[in-house]
Amino acid sequence: MKNLSDLMQQAQKMQADMQKAQEELANAEIHGESGAGLVSITMTGRHDVKRVSIDPSVMTEDKEVLEDLLAAAVNDAVRKVEAHNQQAMSGLASGLNLPPGFKMPF
């Protein structure tokens, strides 16, 4: 029975660690940009945009140019959030001995 008790304690610790990691990821701030930094986006690990910064020089451009720069900055931030989250969760899951290619349900 000691093995079952140990296994349950490990599972509870893993669950607590996973919850803590998810909270840390949600609160992380990731920066994306476009136009060599003329437009930058700050996004959380939950993909919420917290800040948008637009260099004043961009305001003289056509509306379509600004729209493209905003879209590119958001896309850059999304890609960086995904990479950051995947890297953080893979480190946490490395001790689980999961089969190759297994994707966590979050």
Side-chain angles (χ1 to χ4, degrees), residues 34 39 41 65-77 79:
S34 66
V39 176
I41 303 288
V65 171
L66 180 55
E67 290 170 346
D68 289 345
L69 287 170
L70 282 167
V74 169
N75 290 337
D76 185 49
R79 283 190 295 277

Side-chain angles (χ1 to χ4, degrees), residues 54-69:
I54 302 171
D55 188 276
S57 66
V58 177
M59 301 307 285
T60 61
E61 296 292 334
D62 290 338
K63 177 180 177 266
E64 292 79 18
V65 171
L66 180 55
E67 290 170 346
D68 289 345
L69 287 170

Side-chain angles (χ1 to χ4, degrees), residues 10-25 83-98 102 104-106:
Q10 287 176 348
Q12 288 173 343
K13 182 184 180 321
M14 185 177 66
Q15 184 177 11
D17 289 348
M18 189 76 70
Q19 185 173 6
K20 181 180 176 190
Q22 287 176 330
E23 288 171 11
E24 288 173 359
L25 289 175
H84 177 263
N85 289 355
Q86 184 177 24
Q87 181 180 15
M89 294 311 284
S90 69
L92 187 61
S94 64
L96 297 179
N97 297 323
L98 297 173
F102 182 82
M104 299 296 271
F106 41 82

